[in-house]
Amino acid sequence: MAGPSKSMILDPALQKYYEVNANRYKYFRWTPRNAWFSFIFMAVIPGSLTYLTYKTEGKVDFRGKRRGDTLSEW
């Protein structure tokens, strides 16, 4: 019962993955695909969400019906 168990044996593929993940900056290269994805995720998506929020600000009333409010208001 006391001794190394099978669950403690390290998988070589996982060890290689962990090493590559820890040293990812050493293997990164700017390719057209990486540049395009970076541009989309750092400029297009935040910019479009910002535009959408400023365009629709104040147009929606999120206050729910409270006691004493009439149904004709809704």
Side-chain angles (χ1 to χ4, degrees), residues 10-24 27:
L10 301 175
D11 185 9
L14 282 177
Q15 290 301 111
K16 183 177 179 182
Y17 171 75
Y18 295 148
E19 283 295 318
V20 170
N21 197 21
N23 299 316
R24 186 178 302 267
Y27 302 106

Side-chain angles (χ1 to χ4, degrees), residues 2-3 10 12 14 17 21 24 26 29 31 33 35 46 53-54 65 71:
L10 301 175
L14 282 177
Y17 171 75
N21 197 21
R24 186 178 302 267
K26 295 178 184 176
R29 292 180 190 244
T31 61
R33 183 173 186 243
T53 55
Y54 279 114
K65 182 183 177 310
L71 286 176

Side-chain angles (χ1 to χ4, degrees), residues 1-8:
M1 294 276 254
S5 64
K6 294 231 181 233
S7 64
M8 294 301 291

Side-chain angles (χ1 to χ4, degrees), residues 31-54:
T31 61
R33 183 173 186 243
N34 285 341
W36 179 245
F37 278 124
S38 298
F39 176 71
I40 287 175
F41 285 111
M42 293 183 344
V44 174
I45 293 175
S48 62
L49 288 175
T50 303
Y51 173 76
L52 184 69
T53 55
Y54 279 114

Side-chain angles (χ1 to χ4, degrees), residues 56-66 69 73-74:
T56 60
E57 184 177 2
K59 291 188 177 182
V60 180
D61 184 19
F62 287 107
R63 187 180 79 83
K65 182 183 177 310
R66 296 184 182 160
D69 289 348
E73 296 176 8
W74 308 99

